[in-house]
Amino acid sequence: MELAEARLKFIETWGKLGSEWGINRTMAQVHALLLISPEALTTEDVMGTLSISRGNANMTLRDLINWGLVEKQHKAGERKEYFFADKDAWNIARQVARERKKRELDPMMKVLSELSQVRGDDKDANYKTFKTSVTDISKLAANVNKTLDTMIKAEENWFWGSIFKLFK
Amino acid sequence: MELAEARLKFIETWGKLGSEWGINRTMAQVHALLLISPEALTTEDVMGTLSISRGNANMTLRDLINWGLVEKQHKAGERKEYFFADKDAWNIARQVARERKKRELDPMMKVLSELSQVRGDDKDANYKTFKTSVTDISKLAANVNKTLDTMIKAEENWFWGSIFKLFK
DNA sequence: TTAAACTTTCAAAAATAAATGAAAGTATTT
DNA sequence: AAATACTTTCATTTATTTTTGAAAGTTTAA
């Protein structure tokens, strides 16, 4: 397979994965493009390579910056903005974990803990099942939360090291 | 908060979480309803409680069965089919992990390993960056894969036990 | 066999999410 | 201060996903 073809396939695959996990496909594709670009790219580069509009490119790049996956760069003597992605897979994984925890897990745990406060009659099967399911899921969420916190704080060698050994 | 209100909120929250993670919101809501229902429900129960059409209820329940989260039940002397969800949070987590691994991670790893075969000129920055990014992500994916395999095989006390201790 | 009870299908409609692109905004240079 | 170079916004359009519901299919019972 030629490099050019492989690059397109990588962009397509990363985009598909993103869309399966609730991330805008174009955003994942722009990220993929930046991941395989040795130099920072301009908005026009992104527009051209992926055939997307200026507005879309602009908003997508901003989202990627908000996700902490991409940063703006300025080149001396130039007015144009350049965009560059962190290429470190472990950093990317941690950053995605951090954002999704903040955006989704934390709010959900808040709701679950409210819901687990609900009072009722222990002889009511509906109440008992509700209570048990919510409490159980709460506990699981708390464990996931703790694991993510550890992952987020961890050094690069944590994943490649201790977990790897634990599960070999 | 009243139980009735709490049940609705749980269904809504579970549905929202699902849609954020690329799972049809209605499917997550039906799952939520079954999770807090002590008895198995009929298609009509689901249609009525969630105000969805017969076709939607039927397809969604089938999907949940295909995900291994719900099973059909038959009551003696009745022709109607009943649906019942496994309520164990750890089983649910493992089952979701198993399915998403099969549906998404495994195919992606296959593509990544093809892509990491691509040959090129080591002096070409595009080639070098591509190779490094793809190889790195491949390795991360392989680790995630291994971790999921362990999780899928693990007993209930694995999560509540060793991981919990490791990260306390 | 045929009617009744129930389930499944799928083309069309509705709802939702994403993309466009021209206009407005901002900063820099002449 | 006006032209230039570039970025951002957002109402509208387009694409994608989800839902509907009537018709077809299936199973059981009379």
Side-chain angles (χ1 to χ4, degrees):
Chain A
M1 195 187 295
E2 291 298 316
L3 179 58
E5 190 193 344
R7 283 168 56 100
L8 290 178
K9 180 125 195 179
F10 178 71
I11 290 168
E12 181 198 310
T13 302
W14 203 241
K16 182 152 167 271
L17 184 74
S19 72
E20 286 165 343
W21 285 83
I23 283 157
N24 182 310
R25 192 176 77 248
T26 300
M27 176 168 145
Q29 287 180 338
V30 171
H31 186 223
L33 172 61
L34 291 173
L35 279 179
I36 58 177
S37 297
E39 303 292 338
L41 302 183
T42 64
T43 300
E44 307 238 337
D45 292 334
V46 172
M47 289 165 60
T49 308
L50 302 179
S51 304
I52 62 176
S53 70
R54 184 174 300 284
N56 196 7
N58 181 272
M59 294 182 87
T60 297
L61 286 163
R62 181 170 49 195
D63 280 350
L64 283 166
I65 289 169
N66 289 338
W67 273 75
L69 296 171
V70 164
E71 59 181 36
K72 273 189 191 176
Q73 280 187 356
H74 290 277
K75 299 206 175 176
E78 286 203 55
R79 283 176 66 178
K80 264 204 284 279
E81 293 177 331
Y82 288 78
F83 300 89
F84 186 79
D86 182 358
K87 310 282 191 295
D88 186 286
W90 174 245
N91 281 345
I92 295 166
R94 283 200 310 178
Q95 190 56 36
V96 170
R98 190 199 324 263
E99 284 296 320
R100 298 207 82 153
K101 171 173 145 50
K102 185 174 79 190
R103 293 170 191 221
E104 292 146 22
L105 185 60
D106 290 352
M108 194 193 63
M109 286 184 69
K110 192 153 171 291
V111 173
L112 286 174
S113 83
E114 280 164 36
L115 293 180
S116 65
Q117 300 303 316
V118 77
R119 295 277 131 211
D121 175 2
D122 277 334
K123 278 169 207 127
D124 175 2
N126 274 319
Y127 172 70
K128 270 167 46 186
T129 304
F130 182 83
K131 195 76 195 270
T132 305
S133 285
V134 170
T135 303
D136 243 48
I137 290 168
S138 266
K139 283 184 194 156
L140 180 61
N143 271 312
V144 171
N145 191 46
K146 199 181 294 248
T147 304
L148 286 180
D149 272 341
T150 306
M151 172 180 167
I152 288 164
K153 283 185 207 121
E155 296 302 316
E156 173 145 22
N157 69 356
W158 177 84
F159 195 81
W160 311 104
S162 64
I163 271 268
F164 194 55
K165 267 178 215 138
L166 185 65
F167 296 133
K168 110 166 125 44
Chain B
M1 195 186 293
E2 291 299 316
L3 179 58
E5 190 194 344
R7 283 167 56 99
L8 291 178
K9 181 125 194 179
F10 178 71
I11 290 168
E12 181 198 311
T13 302
W14 203 241
K16 183 155 169 269
L17 184 75
S19 72
E20 286 165 343
W21 285 83
I23 284 157
N24 182 311
R25 193 177 73 248
T26 299
M27 175 168 146
Q29 286 180 338
V30 172
H31 186 223
L33 172 61
L34 291 173
L35 279 179
I36 58 177
S37 297
E39 303 293 337
L41 302 183
T42 64
T43 301
E44 306 238 339
D45 293 333
V46 171
M47 288 165 62
T49 308
L50 301 179
S51 305
I52 62 175
S53 71
R54 184 174 301 283
N56 196 5
N58 182 273
M59 294 182 88
T60 297
L61 286 164
R62 179 170 53 194
D63 280 350
L64 282 166
I65 289 169
N66 289 337
W67 273 75
L69 296 171
V70 165
E71 60 182 34
K72 274 190 192 177
Q73 281 188 355
H74 290 277
K75 298 205 175 176
E78 287 201 54
R79 283 178 65 180
K80 263 203 285 279
E81 292 178 332
Y82 287 78
F83 299 89
F84 186 79
D86 182 358
K87 310 283 193 295
D88 186 285
W90 175 245
N91 281 346
I92 295 165
R94 282 199 310 181
Q95 190 56 35
V96 170
R98 190 198 325 262
E99 284 296 321
R100 297 207 81 154
K101 171 173 146 50
K102 185 174 78 192
R103 293 169 191 222
E104 292 146 22
L105 185 59
D106 289 351
M108 195 192 64
M109 285 183 70
K110 193 154 170 291
V111 172
L112 285 174
S113 84
E114 281 165 37
L115 293 180
S116 65
Q117 300 303 315
V118 76
R119 295 275 131 214
D121 175 3
D122 277 333
K123 278 168 206 129
D124 175 2
N126 274 320
Y127 172 70
K128 270 167 45 186
T129 303
F130 181 84
K131 195 75 193 272
T132 306
S133 285
V134 170
T135 304
D136 243 48
I137 290 169
S138 266
K139 283 183 194 157
L140 180 61
N143 272 313
V144 171
N145 191 45
K146 197 180 295 243
T147 304
L148 285 179
D149 272 342
T150 306
M151 171 179 166
I152 288 164
K153 282 185 210 122
E155 296 302 317
E156 171 145 25
N157 69 356
W158 176 83
F159 196 81
W160 310 104
S162 63
I163 271 268
F164 193 55
K165 268 180 215 134
L166 185 64
F167 296 134
K168 114 164 119 46

